[in-house]
Amino acid sequence: WIQDHAVYRERMMAACDFLLAFAVICLAFFCNASPSPLPHLNIQHDLVSISGLSSGADFTVQFQVAFSSILRGSGVFAGQPYHCAVTRFDGEPTLPMCSQMGCTPSTPGPSVPICDDCPPGQTLRYDHCKNEPQIVNTQLLADNARRHAQQGLIDSVENLKHARIYLYRGTKDATYLKGSMQKVEDMFRDLGVSDILFNNTTPSAHSWPTVSYGTPCGRGVIEACNYDGPGACFQHIYNGSVPPVDADPSSLVEFDQRPFMTPDNNGTAHYNETTPHVTGLAPAGYIYVPKACATGRPCGLHLSLHGCDEEQYYVEAVHHLGFQRHGEANNVVIMFPRVQPHGSTVQTQSGCWDAYAQSGADYAFKSGAQMHAVRDMIRAVTGW
């Protein structure tokens, strides 16, 4: 009887374990459990960085310039210079505000709603910095950054002298034309940055390059190019970093982005005075916390930003770019903020980060809706 009772008890305990596991699965997958708040971790002041692709790279540049006092460096996978999309250069023609993308019933907002030095009702060619890099005057852009710093709109540009900048453009990139990323390097050098690593020789398209994951090199958003772009970015910013190790899948969790949204997070049906208050954040992003960082050890923090059309690849990028492997090896937390399709422009409805003043004239300043939101995410994790 005692033996039978022991068997019975063992089977009951196994059944209970099964039911508990099933309940957890139900809670996580079927019951739509809410994402967790961002954890408060022991992040060192000199170990915070950011990188991004495409619109995320545009945003990375303006975030690096605006918040230079808190950043160690940044990685720009095909981006444009600071405040470039809305800056009119010498001799550049203007166009009627609604002569390009936008101003339609489905996308009522214009693509470039703000223009420095344009006549009323006029704007600039969309993507002039990407498509016509020869017109871009980086000294003018650097002077604008200095003026914005003097006005208190961004941090002192003197901080940039200590920044470590990684730049990347694939030779088959048809979105950011040849010469466009050189303007990013020139602008940073005009602002006193000397520690810049620029790879413009890998035959990728407009993408993150990896060693072996993704589509064939030259075709896609994540491409197998026998080159670890995220790793090269990470190693340049965190000089002296050790080689990557396997990441722990259980250390990657969704975090709640709702605390960082403006009241009008998703935008309005028509482009009007309420549009500048739009963050466009998705309900959740992802964060990876290495084992050592979860126990209170001093760590770094790196943010990786997606580009437009993020619904097609965001989760794939989170899991396969490889930032977590470098983060685990070097005690650096990896955060993946996320913007969702929103608003009233072609770009916002594609889930782009704002580099065109579509979220307000202060889009590139510390007060900008998305800029302020991302800074608050960093503050939530660091406490400063």
Side-chain angles (χ1 to χ4, degrees):
W1 179 87
I2 294 176
Q3 184 177 4
D4 290 344
H5 179 72
V7 172
Y8 173 79
R9 184 180 178 186
E10 183 178 346
R11 289 176 177 174
M12 285 299 295
M13 291 179 66
C16 289
D17 289 342
F18 173 81
L19 290 174
L20 179 61
F22 181 81
V24 171
I25 293 172
C26 173
L27 183 63
F29 295 100
F30 299 108
C31 302
N32 194 26
S34 297
S36 303
L38 280 171
H40 185 192
L41 303 169
N42 185 10
I43 303 299
Q44 301 295 94
H45 280 76
D46 61 343
L47 294 179
V48 178
S49 63
I50 188 171
S51 69
L53 169 70
S54 196
S55 72
D58 297 342
F59 190 91
T60 290
V61 171
Q62 64 198 36
F63 198 86
Q64 172 68 71
V65 175
F67 289 105
S68 58
S69 66
I70 68 165
L71 292 179
R72 178 184 182 86
S74 56
V76 184
F77 290 85
Q80 58 185 310
Y82 172 79
H83 218 249
C84 194
V86 302
T87 299
R88 185 185 182 191
F89 300 103
D90 288 344
E92 187 176 8
T94 61
L95 302 169
M97 186 67 70
C98 288
S99 62
Q100 304 178 90
M101 288 183 286
C103 301
T104 68
S106 60
T107 55
S111 293
V112 190
I114 303 295
C115 167
D116 289 353
D117 198 31
C118 284
Q122 297 284 301
T123 190
L124 299 166
R125 288 185 294 263
Y126 175 72
D127 271 355
H128 66 154
C129 300
K130 305 176 190 178
N131 296 327
E132 302 172 88
Q134 70 277 3
I135 70 171
V136 175
N137 180 345
T138 58
Q139 188 59 61
L140 173 62
L141 298 176
D143 288 343
N144 286 342
R146 294 186 184 94
R147 175 168 51 84
H148 296 157
Q150 291 170 355
Q151 294 170 336
L153 302 172
I154 64 175
D155 288 345
S156 170
V157 298
E158 292 299 308
N159 300 317
L160 291 167
K161 293 179 180 179
H162 308 291
R164 301 179 64 84
I165 306 297
Y166 172 84
L167 306 176
Y168 179 85
R169 176 188 175 272
T171 60
K172 297 181 180 179
D173 191 333
T175 303
Y176 287 68
L177 300 188
K178 186 176 182 179
S180 58
M181 280 293 291
Q182 183 60 53
K183 294 295 183 177
V184 178
E185 178 178 6
D186 293 345
M187 179 215 66
F188 274 125
R189 294 199 183 280
D190 289 340
L191 287 169
V193 181
S194 60
D195 200 343
I196 300 175
L197 175 62
F198 184 11
N199 178 352
N200 59 357
T201 61
T202 301
S204 76
H206 188 56
S207 68
W208 284 290
T210 73
V211 174
S212 58
Y213 180 85
T215 54
C217 195
R219 255 190 356 257
V221 178
I222 306 172
E223 298 179 5
C225 294
N226 196 31
Y227 174 70
D228 184 4
C233 166
F234 194 96
Q235 290 164 9
H236 180 69
I237 295 173
Y238 296 100
N239 55 318
S241 61
V242 301
V245 298
D246 289 340
D248 181 356
S250 68
S251 297
L252 178 69
V253 298
E254 284 191 301
F255 73 90
D256 188 1
Q257 293 196 145
R258 290 173 299 176
F260 311 104
M261 297 177 179
T262 49
D264 189 17
N265 178 66
N266 286 319
T268 55
H270 298 285
Y271 187 81
N272 56 40
E273 67 277 3
T274 70
T275 303
H277 305 288
V278 173
T279 37
L281 296 173
Y286 278 93
I287 186 168
Y288 181 87
V289 181
K291 296 183 184 69
C293 304
T295 63
R297 288 185 57 181
C299 287
L301 172 65
H302 180 78
L303 284 72
S304 175
L305 306 184
H306 61 78
C308 300
D309 296 318
E310 52 82 29
E311 289 183 308
Q312 300 178 20
Y313 60 83
Y314 169 80
V315 174
E316 181 185 14
V318 167
H319 285 87
H320 294 290
L321 288 181
F323 278 116
Q324 291 94 307
R325 299 179 65 240
H326 291 276
E328 185 66 48
N330 293 279
N331 297 339
V332 176
V333 177
I334 311 296
M335 186 193 301
F336 299 91
R338 185 176 189 178
V339 171
Q340 66 184 0
H342 66 280
S344 60
T345 72
V346 173
Q347 293 74 33
T348 59
Q349 291 181 11
S350 297
C352 303
W353 293 91
D354 184 21
Y356 298 89
Q358 295 174 6
S359 60
D362 64 347
Y363 77 102
F365 304 154
K366 293 166 72 172
S367 62
Q370 291 182 347
M371 297 279 280
H372 188 268
V374 173
R375 176 63 181 94
D376 280 350
M377 292 180 190
I378 295 173
R379 185 176 290 108
V381 175
T382 64
W384 43 265

